[in-house]
Amino acid sequence: MIHMFVVQATIDIFLIDWERPKPVMSSKDGQKSEEGAVSIWRTYFVANEWNEIQTCRKINPILQLFTTVFFLHVVGFQYLASADPYSSFSLDSSQYRSGDSRVFRFALGACVFLIIGLIQWLFHTLFYERFICDEVREFVDLCSMANISVFIMQNAQYGYYIHGRSVHGRADTDMKDMYNQLKREEDNLCGHRGLLPNSEQQTFRAALPKRLRTQYDRVLNTLNMQTNQPASRMERGAGKAADSFLKSLEAYAVLNRFLSAFVDHSLRDLDYMVKDKLLFESILDVEFEDTTEKGFFYNDSGHSFDAVLFYGNETTLMIFDILFFSIVDLLAQNFVLAGCLTYLMDLILVEIRDSAGKKNLAKKTLVDERFLI
């Protein structure tokens, strides 16, 4: 659990903006003389959506704990944990009843908790995601509409890539233009959203070459050194803050050009290949390819990047909740108290993950934290 929190709160993530400046007409002769600015609001919007889905889960913790306590305490499943051979959902004062067996009580509470969680997971996976709302796939669609790709490095040379490059070439437009773009996609009058031509595959597992990581770290380390450098008395205050902001803008532009060039195969010494994982690689969840000279983007099911979110770690979170719930109950012999404390612990974990994830997102994407809500 601690390892999962540390990994998710320290991932390297960058939002690649594919938008190009629009030419501005000169007021004198009507000729195109200069390029206009690219709006940053699309990047802020995608960053905020990522910030929101960081702690989304497939089960509802409140419903999970309420239902578990209901069956154990109200329905009376807790009375089945007694050490005597008699089974009853109610307590009869006229009949002898031995004390609870700690082993039976732990097994009973864990089984009820697990069964309810499994029912919720099946409902969410088989029905809710397909017919109501799939937060992860909707985020991928949002990236396509915003003309923003997401580059995630979970480890030094391993991560995920979400291809959000717009098939229309631009996304910084008005409502009418956006409606026409969606209409063209609906009528199949434009290309597909996938990274490869005539492909709909937008999400990939990425095994990255070492030189890419070296170049990426060089830009960020230079920025951190310049930002953390002690300022003289004359540079302190607003001047220092403005200087740090300008350096962040410069680093953002450099990383945006570098990563977009890598995805476009525009770098001579840095390239990658798109392929499917071998069966043995998929079973063992490993990559056998050598990434010394070339990287590899592996096609996935569309959900692989949720490994850096709560969404893709439901099993770990469920096991933690079961163990915490059971330990509190074994100490206090009270399922209601165990449910309340488990809910409180979930709130604390979500708050910690939200805070740490927000700070990391602002630091790694170079997006001003004040715009993350």
Side-chain angles (χ1 to χ4, degrees):
M1 190 73 175
I2 296 176
H3 176 264
M4 184 192 74
F5 266 65
V6 172
V7 170
Q8 292 189 4
T10 56
I11 61 169
D12 291 291
I13 178 172
F14 190 80
L15 306 179
I16 305 174
D17 191 352
W18 295 101
E19 198 77 9
R20 293 296 175 257
K22 295 180 180 179
V24 178
M25 303 296 293
S26 175
S27 58
K28 294 182 180 179
D29 52 8
Q31 299 295 324
K32 298 178 181 180
S33 59
E34 59 181 10
E35 294 181 339
V38 175
S39 173
I40 194 62
W41 288 109
R42 292 172 298 101
T43 303
Y44 285 167
F45 186 54
V46 173
N48 273 289
E49 287 301 313
W50 176 267
N51 190 44
E52 288 183 9
I53 67 172
Q54 288 190 100
T55 53
C56 286
R57 294 184 59 176
K58 293 184 179 180
I59 68 169
N60 187 322
I62 298 179
L63 177 62
Q64 173 73 28
L65 293 169
F66 176 82
T67 309
T68 301
V69 173
F70 175 80
F71 279 104
L72 289 173
H73 186 74
V74 179
V75 176
F77 278 28
Q78 62 180 343
Y79 299 122
L80 300 178
S82 62
D84 56 49
Y86 303 104
S87 300
S88 175
F89 289 103
S90 60
L91 184 61
D92 188 357
S93 58
S94 62
Q95 185 179 6
Y96 168 76
R97 181 179 182 276
S98 64
D100 290 343
S101 167
R102 289 182 177 271
V103 176
F104 290 169
R105 191 175 179 92
F106 169 77
L108 182 66
C111 287
V112 172
F113 201 109
L114 184 61
I115 291 172
I116 295 174
L118 182 61
I119 292 173
Q120 277 206 78
W121 182 84
L122 289 174
F123 171 80
H124 190 280
T125 303
L126 301 179
F127 178 78
Y128 190 84
E129 280 185 355
R130 298 188 178 200
F131 303 106
I132 300 179
C133 177
D134 186 347
E135 293 90 348
V136 173
R137 295 189 186 276
E138 286 185 353
F139 177 77
V140 177
D141 290 337
L142 173 66
C143 290
S144 295
M145 294 306 301
N147 205 12
I148 299 288
S149 292
V150 184
F151 207 92
I152 305 167
M153 285 178 278
Q154 184 177 5
N155 299 315
Q157 293 178 243
Y158 179 82
Y160 309 92
Y161 175 67
I162 304 172
H163 187 65
R165 193 171 192 173
S166 175
V167 296
H168 310 285
R170 68 184 188 279
D172 196 2
T173 182
D174 56 22
M175 185 180 295
K176 181 180 178 180
D177 239 1
M178 186 168 292
Y179 172 80
N180 290 333
Q181 290 177 1
L182 292 174
K183 185 64 177 176
R184 289 183 63 195
E185 285 196 62
E186 183 180 349
D187 297 337
N188 201 23
L189 298 177
C190 59
H192 298 288
R193 291 181 174 183
L195 175 62
L196 298 178
N198 301 319
S199 169
E200 292 287 353
Q201 187 66 37
Q202 293 182 259
T203 57
F204 305 87
R205 298 174 183 264
L208 305 171
K210 187 176 182 179
R211 278 177 292 183
L212 177 93
R213 182 69 196 205
T214 302
Q215 294 289 341
Y216 177 87
D217 288 339
R218 184 179 301 170
V219 175
L220 286 185
N221 291 338
T222 301
L223 174 64
N224 292 332
M225 289 175 60
Q226 293 174 346
T227 304
N228 298 329
Q229 185 177 2
S232 64
R233 184 177 300 177
M234 298 295 295
E235 295 176 335
R236 292 175 184 171
K240 176 65 174 177
D243 186 55
S244 299
F245 178 71
L246 292 177
K247 290 174 182 176
S248 296
L249 289 180
E250 182 180 353
Y252 172 82
V254 171
L255 283 177
N256 195 74
R257 289 195 300 268
F258 172 65
L259 293 177
S260 59
F262 172 72
V263 174
D264 270 346
H265 302 280
S266 300
L267 301 176
R268 179 182 300 178
D269 299 327
L270 287 174
D271 204 358
Y272 66 93
M273 178 188 299
V274 179
K275 58 176 296 185
D276 292 320
K277 271 192 172 184
L278 301 175
L279 177 61
F280 204 51
E281 289 179 318
S282 300
I283 294 175
L284 298 180
D285 193 20
V286 295
E287 297 79 31
F288 295 144
E289 300 287 354
D290 182 13
T291 59
T292 304
E293 299 295 334
K294 179 184 291 187
F296 294 89
F297 281 11
Y298 297 97
N299 297 314
D300 68 2
S301 60
H303 269 240
S304 65
F305 68 91
D306 63 12
V308 297
L309 308 171
F310 272 10
Y311 201 87
N313 292 274
E314 192 60 57
T315 302
T316 302
L317 295 169
M318 174 68 73
I319 293 175
F320 176 82
D321 285 344
I322 291 176
L323 292 178
F324 187 84
F325 179 86
S326 301
I327 289 174
V328 173
D329 175 67
L330 290 176
L331 293 176
Q333 295 291 297
N334 190 320
F335 285 120
V336 177
L337 177 62
C340 293
L341 292 182
T342 303
Y343 175 67
L344 181 62
M345 175 58 68
D346 283 345
L347 291 181
I348 294 174
L349 293 178
V350 168
E351 186 64 29
I352 294 174
R353 176 66 179 83
D354 273 335
S355 178
K358 183 178 179 180
K359 291 183 181 299
N360 183 68
L361 181 64
K363 178 181 178 182
K364 299 299 175 59
T365 61
L366 305 179
V367 170
D368 197 326
E369 189 176 351
R370 293 172 294 181
F371 290 95
L372 298 177
I373 55 177

